[in-house]
Amino acid sequence: MGKLFLILGALWCFPPLIQAQTSYQLIDSTGNPVTWEAVSQLAATKDFVFFGELHEQEAAHLAELECLEALHEQYPGRILLGMEMFEADVQPIVNEYFADLINQRSFESEARIWKNYQRDYRPLVEFAKNNQIQLLASNVPRRYANAVYHAGITVLDSLSHYARQFLPPLPLEIDTNISIYQEMSGMIPGHDSRNMIQSQGLKDATMAHFIINSKTDNDILLHLNGAYHSKNKEGIPSFLYLQGVDPHRILLIECISQDDFVASENHLADFTVIIPTPDDSSANP
């Protein structure tokens, strides 16, 4: 009876770990189940690991945390964590928090955290902070992406010198013909799809810009972003290729819901995280 209480007590104390192990499936490009250890071993031959998540899906974020933990365990001191969820102009706030110059409340009130931060991203940020993993705020400030969505890419030409430090070099050329942008253009009928793609392209180009400028030769960069920012190794990677990055140095983890999973498309990502079908349409780009 005593042993039974010990087992039940362990299950009660560690529910997140059990949920993380059972709420998603991790497979390789051939459809075989694998562990995060296998992912981290392959990462040794890569420079960039892109994790294309489904926003606001708890299982996806649990998978991200386990991925980060595995990479840190395998390569302590070499992991750089980049996150779409933080915009480039809050990098000083991130740095101050990681250096214990400001407290957690100040950080969370000023870093424009996402609405699901507490449940989904805070564990990642705190793990990075506690293990001295640098956190890169890679995304373009949302106000500029929004401006492009409404007025087109040329609106960036009128921004100040101060604003441009949070952008990739201008003028910015976006290849709207790549497959993921074309796929996105058909997802939002009734909108100006060209401006929408240019806004997405600005985000991708900005994240690529800060990724390439922040990574050292010894780093393995784990970047967390919405699935359409790295799907098919396009999006952010497309702009890395323009700067001479070898496509073979990129590892792609793609998150997909069970209902959308198609086995014949396994090869499009190095690893796939299959999660229970989302309750809503919150898997945003």
Side-chain angles (χ1 to χ4, degrees):
M1 180 65 70
K3 290 183 179 180
L4 175 60
F5 281 124
L6 284 175
I7 294 172
L8 292 176
L11 294 175
W12 176 261
C13 291
F14 301 105
L17 177 60
I18 295 169
Q19 186 175 14
Q21 292 173 336
T22 61
S23 61
Y24 65 83
Q25 303 173 58
L26 177 64
I27 61 173
D28 63 16
S29 60
T30 65
N32 292 317
V34 293
T35 64
W36 288 115
E37 182 181 3
V39 176
S40 63
Q41 289 175 352
L42 183 59
T45 65
K46 310 294 182 180
D47 292 315
F48 307 91
V49 178
F50 285 94
F51 195 119
E53 68 168 43
L54 298 183
H55 297 330
E56 300 186 35
Q57 299 306 314
E58 188 172 7
H61 302 299
L62 289 169
E64 287 173 327
L65 180 59
E66 290 201 335
C67 179
L68 176 61
E69 291 171 341
L71 288 171
H72 172 68
E73 181 178 0
Q74 186 74 22
Y75 312 107
R78 293 186 57 195
I79 304 304
L80 170 63
L81 176 64
M83 296 182 69
E84 173 200 359
M85 303 78 200
F86 292 101
E87 298 162 23
D89 58 342
V90 305
Q91 185 70 62
I93 300 171
V94 172
N95 295 346
E96 289 165 359
Y97 178 53
F98 274 47
D100 291 322
L101 298 176
I102 61 174
N103 62 28
Q104 187 177 75
R105 178 178 296 181
S106 295
F107 166 69
E108 293 180 1
S109 67
E110 298 187 41
R112 300 198 295 276
I113 59 175
W114 288 17
K115 65 180 181 179
N116 58 322
Y117 175 82
Q118 297 298 333
R119 186 194 72 181
D120 295 334
Y121 299 117
R122 185 175 177 181
L124 287 152
V125 170
E126 294 302 315
F127 180 86
K129 181 177 185 293
N130 292 335
N131 289 279
Q132 299 180 318
I133 298 171
Q134 181 185 347
L135 174 59
L136 171 64
S138 60
N139 207 357
V140 68
R142 184 170 294 272
R143 57 189 179 272
Y144 303 137
N146 188 56
V148 169
Y149 179 78
H150 289 287
I153 198 72
T154 57
V155 73
L156 300 178
D157 297 335
S158 300
L159 293 179
S160 67
H161 177 73
Y162 171 82
R164 292 186 182 210
Q165 68 180 307
F166 308 119
L167 303 174
L170 300 179
L172 181 61
E173 294 187 11
I174 298 171
D175 182 2
T176 59
N177 292 315
I178 67 174
S179 66
I180 59 169
Y181 292 160
Q182 286 298 301
E183 184 178 342
M184 288 183 64
S185 68
M187 293 169 59
I188 310 181
H191 286 68
D192 184 338
S193 61
R194 182 172 180 81
N195 282 2
M196 185 268 290
I197 292 173
Q198 289 179 338
S199 178
Q200 181 83 354
L202 172 62
K203 296 176 185 179
D204 291 339
T206 302
M207 288 187 272
H209 171 70
F210 286 108
I211 285 171
I212 205 75
N213 285 350
S214 301
K215 184 187 177 303
T216 68
D217 290 341
N218 191 52
D219 290 333
I220 298 174
L221 179 132
L222 171 63
H223 195 269
L224 311 181
N225 48 260
Y228 271 85
H229 288 295
S230 55
K231 186 177 180 180
N232 302 340
K233 296 188 179 179
E234 296 179 337
I236 303 170
S238 297
F239 289 95
L240 292 178
Y241 304 149
L242 295 176
Q243 300 185 62
V245 171
D246 183 347
H248 294 99
R249 304 298 293 180
I250 290 177
L251 185 152
L252 175 61
I253 303 167
E254 184 172 281
C255 197
I256 192 166
S257 69
Q258 181 70 54
D259 279 1
D260 293 332
F261 175 69
V262 179
S264 62
E265 296 180 356
N266 284 348
H267 66 283
L268 298 177
D270 297 293
F271 298 95
T272 300
V273 177
I274 307 173
I275 67 169
T277 301
D279 296 329
D280 53 40
S281 57
S282 56
N284 299 319

